[in-house]
Amino acid sequence: MKNGAFIMALLSLALVGCDALFSTSGGQEEKPKPAMLIIAGTAYSEEDGSPIAGISVTLTQRKEDPIMGCCTDIKEIAEVKTQTYGKYKITAFVGGLDCLLDTFVLSARKQVGDSLAYYLSVPTYTSLFSRGIYVGCSEDTLQVDLPMKKPDPILLDTNFTMQVWAGSYYRGDTDGDTSNAQFNKPSGIVADQDGNLFVADLVNHKIKKITPGGMVSTYAGGRRGYKDGNVEEAQFSYPSDIALAQDGSLFIVDRSNNRIRKITPQGEVTTLAGNGNRGDRDGTGNEAEFMNLKSIVVNSNGVIFLSTGSRSIKEAPQKIKKITADGEVTTIAGGAFAGFRDGPGDKALFSGPSGLALGPDEQYLYVADKGNHVVRMIDLATAEVSTFAGLVGSDGHRDGDPEEAKFDFPSSLAIDQYGNLYVGNVSLGSRGELRKITAAGKVRTIISQNFIDMTFDPNGDLYFTREHLIGRITFE
């Protein structure tokens, strides 16, 4: 089949019958029973209608939607409809209400050696966060029509489940249990050794805490502004990222205040570096000036690494900075404008450096070089900058060897306990996705999904932020 040719996956499975999803007795309608629908079938070529060997498509409803409310029981399922431009949606009718059922997993895969290869160019996971397909029930048949095209190979080697952990599509500012909590564009996220999550709740100007038991509380901040002091009095202005030191201190990218803030384990908020002026100046404490603050990480010695820059403002400084425990700021790599160049730190160029991650031995700092569509690597002993994965300036979705892989505006990074580097991105023009660069040096696609920031907890679960919610991926 030619590259870019379309495939039509046509699935059908005889069920007990659509009427089995609801019934009547004595003229009175009984409470509809929750449905557990599992269908699997074969992918067919649109060119000649022949089955495509080794590819199967599975659609599974994992559970009732805990967010949308009206979808606790499925009464009947709407007719299959394929939307244009690769956009799909799951809809169900419950009690006369048309409500979104974002609780399905959709996958199409083919066995290739020891790996599984996706041949989908549209989002493959229609979960609580993405749009999927119209699911149809006619008489006793459930049918799915899914157009697919064959792009560059996308390899999958991980089984996982994904769910909303806290928040929803709707913005707000509500503490409490995770099912009722609300956020307003949560951005940075980090986990401590006890499994607590700390979230930079961007537009609420707060730092939120989520316990392993699922309780959300305001940890620091409130009204927008700038104020040091105890956590109840402190003020932030669009806190966008967060990092955790080994002593329990939190470091905050206070974006609109152009400062790096610190929250001690005792609950005191101080300013580590930055005087509030928008600029690019190294120095100690309030001598330093920042602009276009992005991501922050901290090593085991309490040394902070910070990315600054904007791919859309080419003339702005695009740098990686280091901040010591006493607030001394120095530039370790990058220049006064956007570009691409590997080499010594003072010669290297970036374009919108965003997410940061430290390698397991803390020798290397990985940088999501968003505007260049690559992941860069800095040797912290020498400040030498090299390209770790991706084709420079070539956006796309291609897996395989790091030097041949393609990324689309990589923006967030996280490293698991095995040394695998996870790369997330948010894409408005095409699709976001989560990729994995294995310790063995292969790029794999985990899921098509937007990821603003992400972190691993001590159990190896990946938590991420997007829209107004916190998601969780559990790897099997």
Side-chain angles (χ1 to χ4, degrees):
M1 182 161 34
K2 297 179 181 179
N3 186 44
F6 277 82
I7 303 169
M8 179 65 72
L10 180 61
L11 313 173
S12 65
L13 177 69
L15 303 175
V16 176
C18 292
D19 289 340
L21 300 182
F22 61 98
S23 62
T24 60
S25 176
Q28 298 295 320
E29 187 174 11
E30 295 180 352
K31 179 178 175 60
K33 299 178 180 179
M36 180 55 67
L37 306 176
I38 301 177
I39 61 175
T42 304
Y44 295 86
S45 169
E46 192 181 43
E47 295 178 347
D48 58 11
S50 61
I52 302 169
I55 297 182
S56 64
V57 182
T58 302
L59 178 69
T60 305
Q61 182 197 345
R62 292 193 179 276
K63 61 182 180 179
E64 288 76 40
D65 191 347
I67 299 299
M68 304 305 291
C70 64
C71 298
T72 55
D73 293 315
I74 303 175
K75 188 172 179 181
E76 59 180 299
I77 304 178
E79 180 184 357
V80 174
K81 294 181 180 179
T82 301
Q83 303 299 292
T84 59
Y85 200 62
K87 301 294 184 182
Y88 309 96
K89 184 172 69 175
I90 296 173
T91 302
F93 296 94
V94 182
L97 296 176
D98 183 1
C99 57
L100 195 63
L101 255 188
D102 281 337
T103 53
F104 287 79
V105 180
L106 178 66
S107 61
R109 56 185 67 182
K110 179 178 181 179
Q111 191 73 29
V112 179
D114 295 329
S115 300
L116 292 169
Y118 270 169
Y119 283 89
L120 291 178
S121 63
V122 297
T124 57
Y125 192 100
T126 59
S127 69
L128 288 163
F129 325 107
S130 56
R131 300 295 180 264
I133 56 175
Y134 274 101
V135 179
C137 189
S138 174
E139 295 182 352
D140 61 353
T141 301
L142 182 67
Q143 182 170 295
V144 176
D145 290 337
L146 176 69
M148 299 182 291
K149 69 178 182 179
K150 185 177 180 181
D152 290 325
I154 299 177
L155 304 177
L156 178 75
D157 64 356
T158 303
N159 294 319
F160 61 89
T161 58
M162 184 166 71
Q163 68 180 117
V164 168
W165 180 239
S168 70
Y169 279 121
Y170 305 107
R171 64 188 177 198
D173 184 13
T174 304
D175 291 342
D177 64 82
T178 53
S179 61
N180 295 316
Q182 290 182 308
F183 302 85
N184 196 343
K185 295 189 180 299
S187 185
I189 185 170
V190 69
D192 68 15
Q193 290 303 306
D194 296 323
N196 297 297
L197 299 174
F198 296 90
V199 180
D201 196 359
L202 184 73
V203 183
N204 284 327
H205 314 292
K206 294 179 178 180
I207 306 302
K208 297 288 187 77
K209 178 181 179 179
I210 310 174
T211 68
M215 292 302 296
V216 180
S217 61
T218 297
Y219 188 73
R223 181 179 302 177
R224 180 187 178 187
Y226 169 69
K227 185 178 181 181
D228 286 338
N230 63 56
V231 289
E232 292 84 6
E233 299 173 346
Q235 293 178 349
F236 303 89
S237 182
Y238 296 100
S240 57
D241 201 14
I242 188 168
L244 179 70
Q246 283 194 345
D247 68 355
S249 297
L250 291 169
F251 294 94
I252 313 298
V253 172
D254 197 358
R255 190 174 72 185
S256 290
N257 281 324
N258 300 307
R259 292 176 167 100
I260 302 302
R261 313 286 291 280
K262 176 181 178 179
I263 306 176
T264 69
Q266 293 74 36
E268 287 297 314
V269 179
T270 59
T271 298
L272 179 67
N275 58 24
N277 294 330
R278 182 177 170 84
D280 178 47
R281 185 171 69 181
D282 291 346
T284 301
N286 61 11
E287 296 175 353
E289 294 181 353
F290 302 105
M291 60 188 298
N292 300 316
L293 289 166
K294 289 297 188 292
S295 183
I296 188 171
V297 294
V298 57
N299 70 11
S300 57
N301 295 319
V303 177
I304 293 169
F305 298 94
L306 176 72
S307 59
T308 69
S310 171
R311 67 180 180 85
S312 60
I313 308 176
K314 303 298 184 182
E315 298 78 16
Q318 319 276 329
K319 297 181 177 182
I320 308 301
K321 295 177 177 282
K322 180 175 78 171
I323 308 176
T324 63
D326 60 359
E328 182 183 2
V329 180
T330 56
T331 298
I332 62 172
F337 52 87
F340 176 83
R341 185 190 298 139
D342 284 338
D346 59 348
K347 304 294 184 184
L349 294 176
F350 300 86
S351 178
S354 297
L356 301 175
L358 285 163
D361 57 4
E362 298 187 342
Q363 178 183 352
Y364 298 103
L365 177 68
Y366 298 93
V367 183
D369 194 356
K370 192 172 184 179
N372 285 319
H373 307 288
V374 294
V375 178
R376 311 285 288 279
M377 182 174 71
I378 303 175
D379 186 330
L380 294 176
T382 64
E384 188 77 12
V385 179
S386 59
T387 299
F388 181 68
L391 289 173
V392 178
S394 180
D395 62 309
H397 313 275
R398 185 166 69 192
D399 290 343
D401 294 330
E403 63 272 14
E404 298 177 352
K406 291 182 180 181
F407 298 88
D408 189 15
F409 300 108
S411 56
S412 58
L413 300 176
I415 289 185
D416 68 13
Q417 58 187 324
Y418 305 108
N420 301 304
L421 178 65
Y422 289 74
V423 184
N425 73 279
V426 176
S427 179
L428 299 178
S430 54
R431 69 179 186 198
E433 58 191 359
L434 177 64
R435 315 283 287 281
K436 181 171 85 170
I437 306 175
T438 69
K442 292 291 183 180
V443 179
R444 299 284 187 263
T445 295
I446 303 299
I447 189 173
S448 294
Q449 183 66 249
N450 281 336
F451 289 81
I452 296 174
D453 195 24
M454 53 189 172
T455 188
F456 282 95
D457 75 357
N459 296 321
D461 292 340
L462 181 67
Y463 291 85
F464 62 92
T465 57
R466 62 155 301 170
E467 293 167 337
H468 306 302
L469 55 82
I470 313 300
R472 180 174 72 177
I473 295 178
T474 301
F475 297 98
E476 300 172 0

